[in-house]
Amino acid sequence: MNISALLTSAGINIGLCVVLLLLYSLLRKQPSNLTVYFGRRLAQARPKRFDSLCFDRFVPSPSWIVKAWETSEEELLSLGGLDAVVFIRTLVFSLRVFSIAAFFCMFLVLPVNYYGQEMHHKEIPYESLEVFTIGNVKEGSKWLWAHCLALYIISCSAWLLLYFEYKSIANMRLAHIKASATNPSHFTMLVRAIPWSPEESYSDSVDKFFSNYYLLTYMGHQMVYRSGTVQKLMSDAEMMCRMMRSENLAVKCKQNLFNCGLCGGPSKAFRMLSKRPESVKGKSVYGDLDTSTREEVAAAFVFFKTRYAALVASQVLQSLNPMLWVTDLAPEPHDVYWSNLCIPFRQLWIRKIATLLAAIVFMFLFLIPVTFVQGLTQLDQLHHSFPFLRGLLKKKFMNQLVTGYLPSVVLMLFLYIVPPTMMLFSAVEGSFSRSGRKKSACRKVLYFMIWNVFFVNVLSGSVISQLNVISSPKGIPAQLARAVPTQASFFMTYILTSGWASLASEVMQPFALLWNLIRRFILRKKDDLSDKPLSFPYHIEVPRVLLFGLLGFTFSILAPLMLPFLLAYFLLAFLVYRNQILNVYTWKYETGGQLWPTIHNTTIFSLVLMQIIALGVFGLKRSPVASGFTIPLIICTLLFNEYCRQRFHPIFKNNAAQMLIDMDRQDEQSGRMEDIHRQLPSAYCQFSSSFHDLYKSGHHDQSDNGENIRDSEDEKPGEDSKKVNEPLALHRHMESKEPNGK
């Protein structure tokens, strides 16, 4: 590929980004698109909207960019939580380290690459991209010291920035834990694999076990139930009731006729009765079904009097049989993945092996589209495989379009099926928390993209057709050194299509916008402010950012022309994701920044890979001095990672007993501990209030016009405790047991 083909791809993507960003600046101002572009704000506050016509609504403006840039980190922390701050910190780290790399590589390494051999240079637009890579430097050149120096500068800068980021985020995590004093998960432990006994129920077994071994600190427990068919029907009825209330049909009691937006024919709207039917007066018709439709499973949430007691109980082995009484700290109430708690614990290891094998098979099946994409980049192969395209490919523009732009677009389209597939695999694994499922999917997508997007594309000519690379690991560095510089052009176009264009698509929200148009103009529905706002897709965005970071490190000294494109991507991503955090995405649970260790480890892997490839390149270029200086760099990177693992990683793995004990003492001295104990029973409610209670509350609140209605996913734990007489699975021991040890 030459520079003109790269500029063609860049021009297409820049034009697409500009058009989409201009459209976004217009569409976000239209009142009909509030639910698309301001979902988070509408979920927290319900502003009154006016369809006033003004000139400003039809003029593009950069106001959203200014707002995203001026928002402080404290505002992001209060709006999106620590997880959002960690993600933005990843982008800031990338901007800093690649700004340093771009400065030295563009002014030091790039001229050495360009003038690496004595040759007649063409005009810049017609030069091949290989002229700007390290492949253009002749063997034994003394100018390779410039690459070695740049390698040291980039590595030392990454170490320093990583250390300060890890330290800062670890301190923020400690502050977050200390600030969440009333978090019920600090007092709660999840116990699974409860042994079955024909003489007593699971609930009695839990009460007997913890009353015997944790007499002074045990408060009570709440069983997990497997919901039956009737309970599922009740949940569906509850959801339908919420939908009807959100449509504000309770006020418009008269029958209404309107034309269907699809066929134009008349259609009758729903008509809610102004009075409750006689069949639901008095006792709820579902009241007698609550107990009979629920079946206990071998899992329960156990409550303790102090945070320290819950931490100790969750960390120790409870039984002589490690497969029984398995304990973990409970996730936050909104973070519980209730359906997976019904999976028998003995099945989990089988599920993990099965999903691992399925993910590996999926990885190898994906080699087919990757091989096809690599074939598009080879013009000779296209002429041989598709003879009828020879006339079309002789045209200069079509040649540049097919070989420069089309391969990365095809690969990006195939990659859209990866995140939902990995999310399905992670759900089948049996994670008991939604955050655990998303973190597992994030790691799977990350491994998949590093292997299939980077390694398979780089070694496609060797790994797919010649398996000798895998059979001889000693030759992998040399093989990478030969192959990586030749793929620089493909990855530059991949950054343009999968990076720039995907950010423009992210800010536009095309699927949500399309659904909003269908709902308004075909289904003829009004805005539903009770629609659940989107949660941030960490399992999609974090792997993409880390993959671009890997590309930046590995190609920084090999093909420095990639760095300006990467910097533009990270800068645009910084603005776009801050805007999305402020306006679109919401957080139903908080992991306390637990994604950072994965980000740190991936960055270390990228650094080591960069250094290994550089070692191989220096060996091929017959520069023993540069090779000798690279080996200590690899060792120092591994030692730095081990220090960070020992110093900071335990903070993300376990809570510090010192901090929990201090928090317990402060709550006891202030008298807040009793209030926390009273709130614990209503924290982990597997089933929401009954349909009768929901209908009853909806009947009395008809005058509110639906303004106070919130989705169940957005309600805080314990808000329904006043509606429910007693938590559905809380054992009576919680209320009758007297405090001990005082």
Side-chain angles (χ1 to χ4, degrees):
M1 179 189 293
N2 54 25
I3 295 295
S4 60
L6 178 64
L7 294 178
T8 300
S9 178
I12 294 174
N13 285 280
I14 291 174
L16 181 62
C17 289
V18 171
V19 170
L20 291 179
L21 292 179
L22 289 176
L23 277 176
Y24 168 72
S25 65
L26 288 175
L27 293 175
R28 70 190 300 268
K29 298 179 181 180
Q30 311 309 314
S32 59
N33 296 326
L34 281 177
T35 56
V36 179
Y37 299 118
F38 297 94
R40 189 199 63 79
R41 293 192 176 186
L42 292 178
Q44 294 184 351
R46 311 221 180 253
K48 294 183 179 180
R49 296 161 298 169
F50 302 93
D51 292 340
S52 58
L53 294 176
C54 59
F55 180 73
D56 183 64
R57 278 179 48 193
F58 305 98
V59 178
S61 64
S63 59
W64 66 276
I65 298 178
V66 177
K67 176 63 177 176
W69 180 266
E70 293 179 347
T71 302
S72 64
E73 189 174 271
E74 289 74 17
E75 293 181 73
L76 287 177
L77 185 62
S78 62
L79 294 175
L82 185 55
D83 293 333
V85 173
V86 167
F87 180 74
I88 297 298
R89 282 287 190 94
T90 305
L91 298 173
V92 173
F93 164 79
S94 302
L95 277 172
R96 289 172 177 172
V97 71
F98 290 121
S99 296
I100 298 173
F103 177 79
F104 286 96
C105 292
M106 293 296 291
F107 293 101
L108 180 64
V109 176
L110 187 62
V112 174
N113 291 343
Y114 187 71
Y115 296 105
Q117 292 185 7
E118 296 180 0
M119 57 181 295
H120 176 71
H121 289 283
K122 305 176 183 178
E123 295 182 5
I124 295 296
Y126 302 103
E127 284 280 16
S128 173
L129 285 177
E130 295 182 359
V131 176
F132 298 91
T133 68
I134 199 172
N136 194 50
V137 180
K138 63 182 179 180
E139 296 182 3
S141 174
K142 296 181 180 180
W143 288 99
L144 287 172
W145 66 265
H147 300 78
C148 187
L149 178 62
L151 186 67
Y152 264 83
I153 293 174
I154 295 171
S155 300
C156 293
S157 302
W159 297 342
L160 191 63
L161 293 173
L162 272 179
Y163 173 79
F164 285 114
E165 289 293 341
Y166 216 150
K167 182 179 180 180
S168 176
I169 293 174
N171 292 333
M172 293 176 67
R173 173 174 168 81
L174 294 176
H176 164 76
I177 296 174
K178 193 172 183 179
S180 57
T182 59
N183 191 343
S185 63
H186 294 168
F187 296 84
T188 310
M189 179 184 70
L190 174 64
V191 56
R192 293 174 293 172
I194 303 171
W196 180 80
S197 174
E199 301 176 355
E200 56 186 5
S201 63
Y202 285 124
S203 180
D204 295 335
S205 298
V206 173
D207 182 63
K208 182 178 178 181
F209 182 86
F210 286 97
S211 296
N212 185 22
Y213 296 105
Y214 296 90
L215 180 62
L216 299 179
T217 57
Y218 170 60
M219 286 187 60
H221 69 276
Q222 176 181 330
M223 293 304 300
V224 178
Y225 288 85
R226 180 181 289 109
S227 59
T229 304
V230 177
Q231 179 63 40
K232 293 179 180 179
L233 292 175
M234 292 170 60
S235 300
D236 293 339
E238 177 184 348
M239 182 178 66
M240 291 299 298
C241 184
R242 291 184 185 276
M243 292 174 61
M244 289 189 292
R245 288 171 61 188
S246 65
E247 291 293 340
N248 201 13
L249 293 175
V251 177
K252 299 179 181 180
C253 299
K254 61 181 181 179
Q255 203 169 21
N256 183 28
L257 294 176
F258 62 89
N259 292 331
C260 176
L262 189 62
C263 62
S267 175
K268 292 186 177 181
F270 285 103
R271 179 174 179 265
M272 289 192 68
L273 299 177
S274 59
K275 295 184 179 180
R276 284 186 295 155
E278 296 294 330
S279 59
V280 300
K281 287 184 178 180
K283 186 177 180 180
S284 172
V285 295
Y286 301 103
D288 299 331
L289 296 174
D290 289 346
T291 304
S292 60
T293 58
R294 300 185 184 116
E295 174 189 354
E296 288 182 349
V297 298
F301 291 96
V302 180
F303 306 109
F304 292 87
K305 296 180 180 178
T306 63
R307 301 173 180 86
Y308 178 71
L311 175 66
V312 173
S314 65
Q315 298 297 325
V316 300
L317 192 65
Q318 303 292 337
S319 172
L320 298 177
N321 184 356
M323 297 293 289
L324 297 177
W325 299 104
V326 180
T327 57
D328 297 280
L329 273 178
E332 293 183 3
H334 280 326
D335 194 16
V336 179
Y337 197 27
W338 292 101
S339 59
N340 277 2
L341 292 180
C342 301
I343 300 174
F345 183 78
R346 295 178 182 272
Q347 291 184 9
L348 294 182
W349 68 276
I350 301 177
R351 286 171 171 262
K352 291 180 179 179
I353 294 176
T355 53
L356 176 62
L357 294 177
I360 293 175
V361 171
F362 182 65
M363 278 185 173
F364 280 97
L365 288 177
F366 205 80
L367 294 178
I368 299 174
V370 173
T371 307
F372 172 74
V373 167
Q374 278 299 312
L376 292 177
T377 62
Q378 306 296 329
L379 193 60
D380 296 337
Q381 295 183 10
L382 284 176
H383 287 164
H384 179 73
S385 302
F386 306 99
F388 58 91
L389 293 178
R390 291 180 180 177
L392 185 63
L393 293 176
K394 288 181 180 179
K395 298 180 180 180
K396 183 178 180 180
F397 177 77
M398 292 301 302
N399 185 1
Q400 295 174 354
L401 183 66
V402 172
T403 60
Y405 182 72
L406 190 60
S408 55
V409 173
V410 173
L411 181 61
M412 184 183 67
L413 293 177
F414 277 112
L415 286 175
Y416 274 118
I417 66 173
V418 175
T421 304
M422 295 305 178
M423 182 65 84
L424 175 62
F425 289 161
S426 299
V428 173
E429 272 185 347
S431 175
F432 57 81
S433 65
R434 298 181 183 275
S435 61
R437 178 188 61 165
K438 188 165 285 189
K439 285 187 293 184
S440 177
C442 179
R443 287 191 291 267
K444 288 182 176 63
V445 175
L446 177 62
Y447 301 152
F448 181 93
M449 295 186 72
I450 290 177
W451 168 251
N452 282 88
V453 176
F454 181 77
F455 284 104
V456 174
N457 277 287
V458 166
L459 302 173
S460 59
S462 300
V463 174
I464 298 176
S465 60
Q466 303 174 8
L467 297 178
N468 58 351
V469 175
I470 299 178
S471 61
S472 57
K474 293 182 179 180
I476 291 180
Q479 184 66 32
L480 287 174
R482 294 188 187 95
V484 170
T486 61
Q487 294 296 327
S489 58
F490 169 77
F491 285 115
M492 286 184 192
T493 58
Y494 179 78
I495 291 172
L496 295 173
T497 52
S498 182
W500 295 9
S502 66
L503 289 175
S505 176
E506 164 66 28
V507 78
M508 273 289 295
Q509 295 289 314
F511 296 108
L513 181 63
L514 179 62
W515 168 243
N516 183 58
L517 294 175
I518 293 175
R519 184 178 61 186
R520 289 180 59 84
F521 298 107
I522 297 181
L523 302 180
R524 293 293 180 90
K525 288 187 177 182
K526 294 183 178 180
D527 288 341
D528 187 3
L529 297 184
S530 67
D531 278 353
K532 299 178 183 178
L534 299 173
S535 61
F536 195 87
Y538 286 112
H539 63 295
I540 300 175
E541 305 304 334
V542 172
R544 178 181 294 156
V545 170
L546 294 179
L547 176 65
F548 288 148
L550 182 142
L551 295 178
F553 281 117
T554 53
F555 285 94
S556 56
I557 65 171
L558 305 182
L561 275 181
M562 184 179 293
L563 294 177
F565 298 104
L566 268 179
L567 282 177
Y569 165 78
F570 285 121
L571 180 60
L572 184 59
F574 176 79
L575 297 173
V576 166
Y577 288 121
R578 285 170 75 95
N579 175 76
Q580 300 300 85
I581 291 170
L582 292 174
N583 300 317
V584 179
Y585 294 121
T586 187
W587 277 257
K588 301 173 185 177
Y589 46 81
E590 180 69 61
T591 66
Q594 289 187 357
L595 277 174
W596 179 256
T598 301
I599 297 170
H600 173 87
N601 293 334
T602 306
T603 306
I604 292 294
F605 171 79
S606 303
L607 282 172
V608 173
L609 182 64
M610 172 187 67
Q611 294 156 4
I612 290 176
I613 293 175
L615 179 63
V617 170
F618 293 150
L620 292 177
K621 296 297 180 180
R622 297 180 182 179
S623 178
V625 177
S627 300
F629 275 99
T630 306
I631 295 175
L633 204 58
I634 300 175
I635 298 174
C636 291
T637 303
L638 296 176
L639 291 176
F640 168 76
N641 181 55
E642 181 63 21
Y643 171 78
C644 291
R645 192 179 69 86
Q646 297 291 338
R647 172 63 179 85
F648 300 116
H649 183 64
I651 298 176
F652 292 83
K653 190 176 182 181
N654 298 307
N655 294 333
Q658 177 184 1
M659 181 174 57
L660 297 182
I661 293 174
D662 291 340
M663 293 171 65
D664 290 334
R665 289 174 178 173
Q666 292 175 4
D667 290 338
E668 289 175 356
Q669 293 173 1
S670 63
R672 190 168 49 185
M673 188 67 79
E674 295 181 359
D675 295 335
I676 296 176
H677 289 169
R678 282 195 295 268
Q679 295 173 6
L680 282 178
S682 59
Y684 291 87
C685 292
Q686 183 176 2
F687 304 108
S688 58
S689 58
S690 65
F691 174 75
H692 167 68
D693 294 329
L694 183 65
Y695 184 89
K696 183 177 179 180
S697 62
H699 173 73
H700 291 300
D701 295 337
Q702 286 179 359
S703 60
D704 293 336
N705 296 335
E707 291 296 322
N708 296 326
I709 304 302
R710 290 189 297 173
D711 224 359
S712 60
E713 289 290 336
D714 300 324
E715 292 176 353
K716 296 181 180 179
E719 285 185 349
D720 288 336
S721 58
K722 295 182 180 180
K723 300 179 185 178
V724 186
N725 294 330
E726 185 180 8
L728 297 177
L730 182 65
H731 193 260
R732 294 178 181 176
H733 179 84
M734 185 76 181
E735 298 179 352
S736 62
K737 186 176 178 180
E738 294 292 332
N740 294 298
K742 291 185 179 181

